[in-house]
Amino acid sequence: MSREIRRTMPLLSMSIVMQLTELSARQIRYYEEHHLIEPHRTEGNRRMFSLNDVDTLLEVKDYLEQGMNMAKIKKIFAKKKNPVATTDEQDLSDSELRQIMREEMRQAQRMQKSSIRRGDLSRFY
Amino acid sequence: MSREIRRTMPLLSMSIVMQLTELSARQIRYYEEHHLIEPHRTEGNRRMFSLNDVDTLLEVKDYLEQGMNMAKIKKIFAKKKNPVATTDEQDLSDSELRQIMREEMRQAQRMQKSSIRRGDLSRFY
DNA sequence: CAACCATGTAAGGTTATCTAACATGGTTGG
DNA sequence: CCAACCATGTTAGATAACCTTACATGGTTG
């Protein structure tokens, strides 16, 4: 009889995620194309997102707004998944690493509290 | 920059709530008809439920399974909202009160942890 | 046993989402 | 400087998911 809402549960429809992240459907689908998220699908093929997906999207959005491109963002997420990725070619530059650390801090704060930035919540009242 | 997910945020579509509660759409709409919940509506008139709505629905479901009827359930929720309802007619019987207390305990436990019973979550893995 | 209660189900209509394709403005490397 | 690419917009056509309304139904119950 526990009742945790798992951050991996696919609870959210496209329109809600658009509101939570302030991204367009096109953007969200594009990021999925690049495997930054992999939302579940209903039987009828509709995307269903988890809170983790929303967090990832917010992180991607921040990176893009800081001028990063998809390629670098993908590297960052790859490195997160497998920190010992000695396999790949050139590493991330110093300034890039600084950007990432900065974003990591924000992300950590997000995680600590609960799930969505206040600015985004105001849309629901 | 807080990030709480409010229990009152209308995040969830009908199909997800059906899965979370194991109620049919008909049942959920019927309970809404009786004002036990009042989900938000999108511009296009789709219902959007909050986590609080889900909790209420689970509570209603428990009461019904215990053999209560809508009338009594409505009274319970009315009394919850306004405990000093000296206005209305006859009170709830002793056995009813015992049922309610029992359910209150469960509900309290639910609230304490997080949001959905484990049995319900398993459907999402 | 007539009436009601909670739910199922069907019909017909609308909205939200899907994929695929093409359009476009902003970089950027040669 | 411009050709190519990148991230995103937009459109079209299809369909899944949701809506309301209405009628059907089995289980209580006065």
Coordinates of all heavy atoms in Angstrom, one line a residue, chain D residues 1-28:
Chain D
dC1 P 30.2 39.7 -49.2 OP1 29.6 40.6 -50.3 OP2 29.5 39.4 -48.0 O5' 30.7 38.4 -49.9 C5' 30.5 38.2 -51.3 C4' 30.0 36.7 -51.5 O4' 30.7 35.9 -50.6 C3' 28.6 36.5 -51.2 O3' 28.2 35.4 -52.0 C2' 28.6 36.1 -49.8 C1' 29.8 35.2 -49.8 N1 30.4 34.9 -48.5 C2 31.1 33.7 -48.3 O2 31.1 32.9 -49.2 N3 31.7 33.4 -47.1 C4 31.6 34.3 -46.1 N4 32.2 34.0 -45.0 C5 30.9 35.6 -46.3 C6 30.3 35.8 -47.5
dC2 P 27.1 35.4 -53.2 OP1 27.6 35.9 -54.4 OP2 25.9 36.1 -52.5 O5' 26.8 33.9 -53.3 C5' 27.9 32.9 -53.4 C4' 27.5 31.7 -52.6 O4' 28.1 31.8 -51.2 C3' 26.1 31.4 -52.4 O3' 25.9 30.0 -52.4 C2' 25.8 31.9 -51.0 C1' 27.1 31.4 -50.3 N1 27.4 32.0 -49.0 C2 28.2 31.2 -48.1 O2 28.7 30.1 -48.5 N3 28.5 31.7 -46.9 C4 28.0 32.9 -46.5 N4 28.3 33.4 -45.3 C5 27.2 33.7 -47.4 C6 26.9 33.2 -48.6
dA3 P 25.4 29.2 -53.7 OP1 26.3 29.6 -54.9 OP2 23.9 29.4 -53.9 O5' 25.7 27.7 -53.4 C5' 27.1 27.4 -53.0 C4' 27.1 26.2 -52.0 O4' 27.1 26.8 -50.6 C3' 25.9 25.3 -52.1 O3' 26.3 24.0 -51.8 C2' 24.9 25.8 -50.9 C1' 25.9 26.4 -49.9 N9 25.5 27.6 -49.2 C8 24.6 28.6 -49.7 N7 24.4 29.6 -48.9 C5 25.2 29.3 -47.8 C6 25.4 30.0 -46.6 N6 24.8 31.1 -46.3 N1 26.3 29.4 -45.7 C2 26.8 28.2 -46.0 N3 26.7 27.5 -47.2 C4 25.8 28.1 -48.0
dA4 P 25.3 22.8 -51.8 OP1 26.0 21.6 -52.4 OP2 24.0 23.2 -52.3 O5' 25.2 22.5 -50.2 C5' 26.5 22.4 -49.5 C4' 26.1 22.3 -48.0 O4' 25.8 23.6 -47.5 C3' 24.9 21.4 -47.7 O3' 25.4 20.4 -46.8 C2' 23.9 22.3 -47.1 C1' 24.7 23.4 -46.6 N9 24.0 24.7 -46.6 C8 23.2 25.2 -47.6 N7 22.7 26.4 -47.3 C5 23.3 26.7 -46.1 C6 23.2 27.9 -45.2 N6 22.5 29.0 -45.5 N1 23.9 27.9 -44.1 C2 24.6 26.8 -43.8 N3 24.8 25.6 -44.5 C4 24.1 25.7 -45.6
dC5 P 24.4 19.3 -46.1 OP1 25.2 18.0 -46.0 OP2 23.1 19.4 -46.9 O5' 24.2 19.9 -44.7 C5' 25.3 20.3 -43.9 C4' 24.8 21.0 -42.7 O4' 24.2 22.3 -43.0 C3' 23.7 20.2 -41.9 O3' 23.9 20.2 -40.5 C2' 22.4 21.0 -42.3 C1' 23.0 22.4 -42.4 N1 22.2 23.4 -43.2 C2 22.0 24.7 -42.6 O2 22.5 25.0 -41.6 N3 21.3 25.6 -43.3 C4 20.7 25.2 -44.5 N4 20.0 26.2 -45.1 C5 20.9 23.9 -45.1 C6 21.6 23.1 -44.4
dC6 P 23.2 19.2 -39.6 OP1 24.1 18.1 -39.3 OP2 21.9 18.9 -40.2 O5' 23.0 20.0 -38.3 C5' 23.4 21.4 -38.2 C4' 22.4 22.2 -37.4 O4' 21.7 23.0 -38.4 C3' 21.3 21.4 -36.7 O3' 21.3 22.0 -35.4 C2' 20.1 21.6 -37.5 C1' 20.3 23.0 -38.1 N1 19.7 23.2 -39.5 C2 19.1 24.4 -39.7 O2 19.1 25.3 -38.9 N3 18.5 24.6 -41.0 C4 18.5 23.7 -41.9 N4 18.0 23.9 -43.1 C5 19.1 22.4 -41.6 C6 19.7 22.2 -40.4
dA7 P 20.6 21.1 -34.2 OP1 21.4 21.3 -32.9 OP2 20.2 19.8 -34.6 O5' 19.2 22.0 -34.0 C5' 19.3 23.3 -33.5 C4' 18.0 24.0 -33.7 O4' 17.7 24.0 -35.1 C3' 16.8 23.3 -33.1 O3' 16.1 24.2 -32.2 C2' 15.9 22.8 -34.2 C1' 16.3 23.8 -35.3 N9 16.2 23.2 -36.7 C8 16.6 22.0 -37.1 N7 16.4 21.8 -38.4 C5 15.8 23.0 -38.9 C6 15.4 23.5 -40.1 N6 15.4 22.7 -41.2 N1 14.9 24.7 -40.2 C2 14.9 25.5 -39.1 N3 15.3 25.2 -37.8 C4 15.7 23.9 -37.8
dT8 P 14.8 23.9 -31.4 OP1 14.8 24.8 -30.3 OP2 14.8 22.4 -31.2 O5' 13.7 24.3 -32.4 C5' 13.5 25.6 -32.7 C4' 12.5 25.8 -33.9 O4' 13.0 25.0 -35.0 C3' 11.1 25.3 -33.6 O3' 10.3 26.4 -33.3 C2' 10.7 24.6 -34.9 C1' 11.9 24.9 -35.8 N1 12.1 23.8 -36.8 C2 11.9 24.1 -38.2 O2 11.4 25.2 -38.5 N3 12.1 23.1 -39.0 C4 12.6 21.9 -38.7 O4 12.8 21.0 -39.6 C5 12.9 21.6 -37.3 C7 13.5 20.3 -36.9 C6 12.6 22.6 -36.5
dG9 P 8.7 26.3 -33.2 OP1 8.3 27.4 -32.4 OP2 8.4 24.9 -32.9 O5' 8.3 26.5 -34.7 C5' 8.6 27.8 -35.3 C4' 7.9 27.9 -36.6 O4' 8.4 27.0 -37.6 C3' 6.4 27.6 -36.5 O3' 5.6 28.6 -37.3 C2' 6.2 26.3 -37.1 C1' 7.3 26.2 -38.2 N9 7.9 24.9 -38.4 C8 8.5 24.1 -37.5 N7 8.9 22.9 -37.9 C5 8.5 23.0 -39.3 C6 8.7 22.0 -40.3 O6 9.3 20.9 -40.2 N1 8.2 22.5 -41.5 C2 7.6 23.7 -41.7 N2 7.2 24.0 -43.0 N3 7.4 24.6 -40.8 C4 7.9 24.2 -39.6
dT10 P 4.1 28.7 -37.3 OP1 3.7 30.1 -37.5 OP2 3.6 28.0 -36.1 O5' 3.6 27.8 -38.5 C5' 4.3 28.1 -39.8 C4' 3.7 27.1 -40.8 O4' 4.4 25.9 -40.8 C3' 2.2 26.8 -40.6 O3' 1.5 26.9 -41.8 C2' 2.2 25.3 -40.1 C1' 3.5 24.8 -40.8 N1 4.1 23.6 -40.2 C2 4.5 22.6 -41.0 O2 4.3 22.6 -42.2 N3 5.1 21.5 -40.4 C4 5.4 21.4 -39.1 O4 6.0 20.5 -38.6 C5 5.0 22.6 -38.3 C7 5.2 22.5 -36.8 C6 4.4 23.6 -38.9
dT11 P -0.1 27.0 -41.7 OP1 -0.5 28.3 -42.1 OP2 -0.6 26.4 -40.5 O5' -0.5 26.0 -42.9 C5' 0.5 25.6 -43.9 C4' 0.2 24.2 -44.4 O4' 1.0 23.2 -43.7 C3' -1.2 23.7 -44.2 O3' -1.7 23.4 -45.5 C2' -1.2 22.6 -43.2 C1' 0.2 22.1 -43.4 N1 0.9 21.4 -42.2 C2 1.6 20.2 -42.4 O2 1.7 19.7 -43.5 N3 2.1 19.7 -41.3 C4 2.0 20.2 -40.0 O4 2.5 19.6 -39.1 C5 1.2 21.4 -39.9 C7 1.1 22.0 -38.5 C6 0.7 21.9 -41.0
dA12 P -3.3 23.0 -45.7 OP1 -3.6 23.7 -47.0 OP2 -4.0 23.3 -44.5 O5' -3.2 21.5 -46.0 C5' -2.1 20.9 -46.6 C4' -2.2 19.4 -46.6 O4' -1.5 18.8 -45.5 C3' -3.7 18.9 -46.5 O3' -3.8 17.8 -47.4 C2' -3.8 18.5 -45.0 C1' -2.4 18.0 -44.7 N9 -2.0 18.2 -43.3 C8 -2.3 19.2 -42.5 N7 -1.7 19.0 -41.3 C5 -1.0 17.9 -41.4 C6 -0.2 17.2 -40.4 N6 0.0 17.6 -39.2 N1 0.4 16.0 -40.8 C2 0.1 15.6 -42.1 N3 -0.6 16.1 -43.1 C4 -1.1 17.3 -42.6
dG13 P -5.3 17.2 -47.7 OP1 -5.4 17.2 -49.2 OP2 -6.3 18.1 -47.0 O5' -5.3 15.8 -47.1 C5' -4.2 14.9 -47.2 C4' -4.3 13.8 -46.2 O4' -3.8 14.3 -44.9 C3' -5.7 13.4 -46.0 O3' -5.8 12.0 -46.0 C2' -6.1 14.0 -44.6 C1' -4.7 13.9 -43.9 N9 -4.5 14.8 -42.8 C8 -5.1 16.0 -42.6 N7 -4.7 16.6 -41.4 C5 -3.9 15.7 -40.9 C6 -3.2 15.7 -39.6 O6 -3.2 16.6 -38.8 N1 -2.4 14.5 -39.4 C2 -2.3 13.5 -40.3 N2 -1.5 12.5 -40.0 N3 -3.0 13.5 -41.5 C4 -3.7 14.6 -41.7
dA14 P -7.1 11.1 -45.6 OP1 -7.2 10.1 -46.6 OP2 -8.2 12.1 -45.2 O5' -6.6 10.4 -44.2 C5' -5.3 9.7 -44.3 C4' -5.0 9.1 -42.9 O4' -4.7 10.2 -42.0 C3' -6.2 8.4 -42.3 O3' -5.8 7.2 -41.6 C2' -6.8 9.4 -41.3 C1' -5.5 10.1 -40.8 N9 -5.8 11.5 -40.3 C8 -6.5 12.5 -40.9 N7 -6.6 13.5 -40.2 C5 -5.8 13.3 -39.0 C6 -5.5 14.0 -37.9 N6 -5.9 15.3 -37.7 N1 -4.7 13.4 -37.0 C2 -4.3 12.2 -37.2 N3 -4.5 11.4 -38.2 C4 -5.3 12.0 -39.1
dT15 P -6.9 6.2 -41.0 OP1 -6.4 4.8 -41.3 OP2 -8.2 6.6 -41.5 O5' -6.8 6.4 -39.5 C5' -5.6 6.2 -38.8 C4' -5.8 6.6 -37.3 O4' -5.9 8.0 -37.1 C3' -7.2 6.0 -36.8 O3' -7.0 5.8 -35.4 C2' -8.1 7.2 -37.0 C1' -7.1 8.3 -36.4 N1 -7.5 9.7 -36.6 C2 -7.2 10.6 -35.7 O2 -6.5 10.3 -34.7 N3 -7.6 11.8 -35.9 C4 -8.5 12.3 -36.9 O4 -8.8 13.4 -37.0 C5 -8.8 11.2 -37.9 C7 -9.7 11.6 -39.0 C6 -8.4 10.0 -37.7
dA16 P -7.0 4.4 -34.7 OP1 -5.9 3.6 -35.3 OP2 -8.4 3.9 -34.6 O5' -6.5 4.8 -33.2 C5' -5.3 5.6 -33.1 C4' -5.4 6.4 -31.8 O4' -6.1 7.7 -32.1 C3' -6.1 5.8 -30.7 O3' -5.5 6.3 -29.5 C2' -7.6 6.4 -30.8 C1' -7.3 7.8 -31.3 N9 -8.3 8.3 -32.2 C8 -9.0 7.7 -33.2 N7 -9.8 8.5 -33.8 C5 -9.6 9.8 -33.2 C6 -10.2 11.0 -33.4 N6 -11.1 11.3 -34.3 N1 -9.8 12.0 -32.6 C2 -8.9 11.8 -31.7 N3 -8.3 10.6 -31.4 C4 -8.7 9.7 -32.2
dA17 P -5.9 5.7 -28.1 OP1 -4.6 5.7 -27.3 OP2 -6.8 4.5 -28.2 O5' -6.7 6.9 -27.5 C5' -6.1 8.2 -27.3 C4' -7.1 9.2 -26.8 O4' -8.0 9.4 -27.9 C3' -8.0 8.7 -25.6 O3' -8.0 9.7 -24.7 C2' -9.4 8.5 -26.3 C1' -9.3 9.5 -27.4 N9 -10.2 9.3 -28.5 C8 -10.5 8.1 -29.1 N7 -11.3 8.2 -30.2 C5 -11.6 9.5 -30.2 C6 -12.5 10.3 -31.1 N6 -13.2 9.8 -32.1 N1 -12.5 11.6 -30.8 C2 -11.8 12.2 -29.8 N3 -11.0 11.5 -29.0 C4 -11.0 10.2 -29.2
dC18 P -8.6 9.6 -23.2 OP1 -7.6 10.2 -22.3 OP2 -9.0 8.2 -23.0 O5' -9.9 10.5 -23.3 C5' -9.7 11.8 -23.6 C4' -11.0 12.4 -24.1 O4' -11.4 11.8 -25.3 C3' -12.2 12.1 -23.2 O3' -12.4 13.3 -22.4 C2' -13.4 11.9 -24.1 C1' -12.8 12.0 -25.5 N1 -13.3 11.0 -26.5 C2 -14.1 11.5 -27.5 O2 -14.4 12.7 -27.6 N3 -14.6 10.6 -28.4 C4 -14.4 9.3 -28.3 N4 -14.9 8.5 -29.2 C5 -13.5 8.8 -27.2 C6 -13.0 9.7 -26.4
dC19 P -13.7 13.4 -21.4 OP1 -13.4 14.4 -20.4 OP2 -14.0 12.0 -20.9 O5' -14.9 13.8 -22.4 C5' -14.8 15.1 -22.9 C4' -16.1 15.4 -23.7 O4' -16.0 14.5 -24.9 C3' -17.4 15.0 -23.0 O3' -17.9 16.2 -22.4 C2' -18.3 14.6 -24.2 C1' -17.3 14.2 -25.3 N1 -17.4 12.8 -25.6 C2 -18.2 12.4 -26.7 O2 -18.9 13.2 -27.2 N3 -18.2 11.1 -27.0 C4 -17.5 10.2 -26.4 N4 -17.5 8.9 -26.8 C5 -16.6 10.6 -25.3 C6 -16.6 11.9 -25.0
dT20 P -19.1 15.9 -21.4 OP1 -19.3 17.2 -20.6 OP2 -18.9 14.7 -20.6 O5' -20.4 15.7 -22.3 C5' -20.7 16.7 -23.2 C4' -22.0 16.3 -24.0 O4' -21.7 15.1 -24.8 C3' -23.2 16.0 -23.1 O3' -24.3 16.6 -23.7 C2' -23.3 14.5 -23.1 C1' -22.7 14.2 -24.5 N1 -22.0 12.8 -24.6 C2 -22.4 12.0 -25.6 O2 -23.2 12.2 -26.4 N3 -21.7 10.8 -25.6 C4 -20.7 10.4 -24.7 O4 -20.2 9.3 -24.8 C5 -20.4 11.3 -23.6 C7 -19.4 11.0 -22.6 C6 -21.1 12.5 -23.6
dT21 P -25.7 16.7 -22.8 OP1 -26.3 18.0 -23.2 OP2 -25.4 16.4 -21.4 O5' -26.5 15.6 -23.5 C5' -26.5 15.4 -24.9 C4' -27.3 14.2 -25.3 O4' -26.4 13.1 -25.3 C3' -28.4 13.8 -24.4 O3' -29.6 13.6 -25.1 C2' -28.0 12.5 -23.7 C1' -27.0 11.9 -24.8 N1 -25.9 11.0 -24.3 C2 -25.6 9.9 -25.0 O2 -26.2 9.6 -26.0 N3 -24.6 9.1 -24.5 C4 -23.9 9.4 -23.3 O4 -23.0 8.6 -22.9 C5 -24.3 10.6 -22.6 C7 -23.5 11.0 -21.3 C6 -25.2 11.4 -23.1
dA22 P -31.0 13.4 -24.5 OP1 -32.0 14.1 -25.3 OP2 -31.0 13.7 -23.0 O5' -31.2 11.9 -24.7 C5' -30.8 11.3 -26.0 C4' -30.9 9.8 -25.9 O4' -29.6 9.3 -25.4 C3' -32.0 9.3 -25.0 O3' -32.8 8.4 -25.8 C2' -31.2 8.5 -23.9 C1' -29.9 8.3 -24.5 N9 -28.8 8.2 -23.6 C8 -28.5 9.1 -22.6 N7 -27.5 8.8 -21.9 C5 -27.0 7.6 -22.4 C6 -25.9 6.7 -22.1 N6 -25.1 7.0 -21.1 N1 -25.8 5.6 -22.9 C2 -26.7 5.4 -23.9 N3 -27.7 6.1 -24.2 C4 -27.8 7.2 -23.5
dC23 P -34.2 7.8 -25.1 OP1 -35.2 7.9 -26.2 OP2 -34.4 8.4 -23.8 O5' -33.8 6.3 -24.9 C5' -33.2 5.6 -26.0 C4' -32.5 4.4 -25.5 O4' -31.4 4.7 -24.7 C3' -33.4 3.5 -24.6 O3' -33.4 2.2 -25.1 C2' -32.8 3.7 -23.2 C1' -31.4 3.9 -23.6 N1 -30.6 4.5 -22.5 C2 -29.4 3.9 -22.1 O2 -29.0 2.9 -22.7 N3 -28.6 4.5 -21.1 C4 -29.0 5.6 -20.5 N4 -28.3 6.1 -19.6 C5 -30.3 6.2 -20.9 C6 -31.0 5.6 -21.9
dA24 P -34.2 1.0 -24.3 OP1 -34.8 0.2 -25.4 OP2 -35.0 1.6 -23.3 O5' -33.0 0.2 -23.6 C5' -31.9 -0.3 -24.4 C4' -31.1 -1.2 -23.6 O4' -30.3 -0.4 -22.7 C3' -31.8 -2.2 -22.8 O3' -31.1 -3.4 -22.8 C2' -31.9 -1.5 -21.4 C1' -30.5 -0.8 -21.4 N9 -30.5 0.4 -20.5 C8 -31.3 1.4 -20.6 N7 -31.0 2.4 -19.7 C5 -29.9 1.9 -19.0 C6 -29.1 2.4 -18.0 N6 -29.3 3.6 -17.4 N1 -28.1 1.7 -17.6 C2 -27.9 0.5 -18.2 N3 -28.5 -0.1 -19.1 C4 -29.6 0.6 -19.5
dT25 P -31.7 -4.7 -22.0 OP1 -31.2 -5.9 -22.7 OP2 -33.2 -4.5 -21.7 O5' -31.0 -4.6 -20.6 C5' -29.6 -4.7 -20.5 C4' -29.2 -4.9 -19.1 O4' -29.1 -3.6 -18.4 C3' -30.2 -5.7 -18.3 O3' -29.5 -6.6 -17.4 C2' -31.0 -4.7 -17.5 C1' -29.8 -3.6 -17.2 N1 -30.3 -2.3 -16.9 C2 -29.5 -1.6 -15.9 O2 -28.5 -2.0 -15.4 N3 -30.0 -0.3 -15.6 C4 -31.2 0.3 -16.2 O4 -31.5 1.4 -15.8 C5 -31.9 -0.5 -17.1 C7 -33.2 0.0 -17.7 C6 -31.4 -1.8 -17.4
dG26 P -29.9 -8.1 -17.2 OP1 -29.3 -8.8 -18.3 OP2 -31.4 -8.1 -17.0 O5' -29.2 -8.5 -15.8 C5' -27.8 -8.2 -15.6 C4' -27.6 -7.7 -14.2 O4' -28.2 -6.3 -14.1 C3' -28.3 -8.5 -13.2 O3' -27.4 -8.7 -12.1 C2' -29.6 -7.7 -12.8 C1' -29.0 -6.2 -13.0 N9 -30.0 -5.2 -13.3 C8 -31.1 -5.3 -14.1 N7 -31.8 -4.2 -14.2 C5 -31.1 -3.3 -13.3 C6 -31.5 -2.0 -12.9 O6 -32.4 -1.3 -13.3 N1 -30.5 -1.5 -12.0 C2 -29.5 -2.2 -11.5 N2 -28.7 -1.6 -10.6 N3 -29.2 -3.5 -11.8 C4 -30.0 -3.9 -12.7
dG27 P -27.7 -9.6 -10.9 OP1 -26.7 -10.6 -10.8 OP2 -29.2 -10.1 -11.0 O5' -27.7 -8.6 -9.7 C5' -27.0 -7.4 -9.8 C4' -27.1 -6.6 -8.6 O4' -28.0 -5.5 -8.8 C3' -27.7 -7.3 -7.4 O3' -27.0 -6.7 -6.2 C2' -29.2 -7.0 -7.4 C1' -29.2 -5.6 -8.0 N9 -30.4 -5.4 -8.9 C8 -30.9 -6.2 -9.8 N7 -31.9 -5.7 -10.5 C5 -32.0 -4.5 -10.0 C6 -32.9 -3.4 -10.3 O6 -33.9 -3.4 -11.1 N1 -32.7 -2.3 -9.5 C2 -31.7 -2.1 -8.6 N2 -31.7 -1.0 -7.9 N3 -30.9 -3.1 -8.3 C4 -31.1 -4.2 -9.0
dT28 P -27.4 -7.2 -4.7 OP1 -26.4 -6.6 -3.8 OP2 -27.6 -8.7 -4.8 O5' -28.8 -6.6 -4.5 C5' -29.1 -6.2 -3.1 C4' -29.4 -4.7 -3.1 O4' -30.1 -4.3 -4.3 C3' -30.4 -4.4 -1.9 O3' -30.0 -3.2 -1.3 C2' -31.7 -4.3 -2.6 C1' -31.4 -3.7 -4.0 N1 -32.3 -4.1 -5.1 C2 -33.3 -3.2 -5.5 O2 -33.4 -2.1 -5.1 N3 -34.1 -3.7 -6.5 C4 -34.1 -4.9 -7.1 O4 -34.9 -5.2 -8.0 C5 -33.1 -5.8 -6.6 C7 -32.9 -7.2 -7.2 C6 -32.3 -5.4 -5.6

